[in-house]
Amino acid sequence: MKINVNGTDYTLNVPANTSLLDALRVNLNLTGSKYGCGEGACGACKVLIDGHATPSCITPVASVENKIVITIEGLEKDGQLHPLQQAFLDEDAFQCAYCSSGMIISAVALKAKNPNPGRQEIIEAMQGNICRCCVYPRIINAISKA
Ligand code: FES
């Protein structure tokens, strides 16, 4: 099957029920998306699929043929971090950082729809992302200021 990730076309020879997360991490060596729950509940594995923040652990890779997949690795442009990546650094919006790539992906999807979300809108949009270190106030600040 053929998939497009971060603007590059790839041909994969994997079973159709392989998860997109496994295809990214194992076959394409794009390890920024993390495995947390494996059930679509924690958000650590989120990627953008046609602009929607989606858990890649429960997404069969075959389902993203003819779609545009963007991972955390695809956000940087010309050596410059995406403004949300920079804001997470500036605001220290992580502790262990395991959740960060999924958090940033969800925030990118939110800002594409709503460039200036209020605090409550950010909280609601980030419901599908869990941070076990509980640095939520700094994450909200980063998304707010980006
Ligand atoms: Fe995919 Fe938790 S690992 S949502």
Side-chain angles (χ1 to χ4, degrees), residues 28-85:
L28 303 184
N29 201 28
L30 294 170
T31 57
S33 308
K34 304 301 186 200
Y35 182 94
C37 65
E39 297 177 349
C42 76
C45 65
K46 281 191 175 179
V47 299
L48 295 170
I49 300 176
D50 287 348
H52 301 285
T54 307
S56 60
C57 68
I58 54 169
T59 301
V61 66
S63 72
V64 302
E65 279 191 294
N66 305 314
K67 295 186 177 175
I68 303 291
V69 178
I70 305 289
T71 70
I72 191 74
E73 292 91 344
L75 295 183
E76 172 225 307
K77 291 278 179 284
D78 302 324
Q80 295 285 322
L81 293 178
H82 185 284
L84 274 156
Q85 291 174 306

Side-chain angles (χ1 to χ4, degrees), residues 1-139:
M1 71 192 71
K2 292 187 186 343
I3 65 171
N4 184 288
V5 181
N6 299 333
T8 300
D9 289 322
Y10 296 96
T11 301
L12 296 177
N13 186 13
V14 294
N17 65 351
T18 301
S19 73
L20 174 58
L21 180 61
D22 279 347
L24 293 171
R25 292 181 56 86
V26 176
N27 299 93
L28 303 184
N29 201 28
L30 294 170
T31 57
S33 308
K34 304 301 186 200
Y35 182 94
C37 65
E39 297 177 349
C42 76
C45 65
K46 281 191 175 179
V47 299
L48 295 170
I49 300 176
D50 287 348
H52 301 285
T54 307
S56 60
C57 68
I58 54 169
T59 301
V61 66
S63 72
V64 302
E65 279 191 294
N66 305 314
K67 295 186 177 175
I68 303 291
V69 178
I70 305 289
T71 70
I72 191 74
E73 292 91 344
L75 295 183
E76 172 225 307
K77 291 278 179 284
D78 302 324
Q80 295 285 322
L81 293 178
H82 185 284
L84 274 156
Q85 291 174 306
Q86 190 61 54
F88 269 61
L89 284 174
D90 293 345
E91 296 299 319
D92 220 6
F94 43 78
Q95 186 167 305
C96 81
Y98 199 80
C99 69
S100 299
S101 62
M103 288 280 181
I104 292 169
I105 289 289
S106 287
V108 168
L110 166 64
K111 290 266 185 167
K113 282 189 300 193
N114 181 0
N116 292 303
R119 208 166 175 84
Q120 193 55 39
E121 290 173 307
I122 294 171
I123 291 169
E124 283 166 20
M126 301 301 290
Q127 288 294 314
N129 290 79
I130 295 170
C131 170
R132 288 187 64 181
C133 310
C134 289
V135 297
Y136 294 110
R138 298 192 322 240
I139 290 169

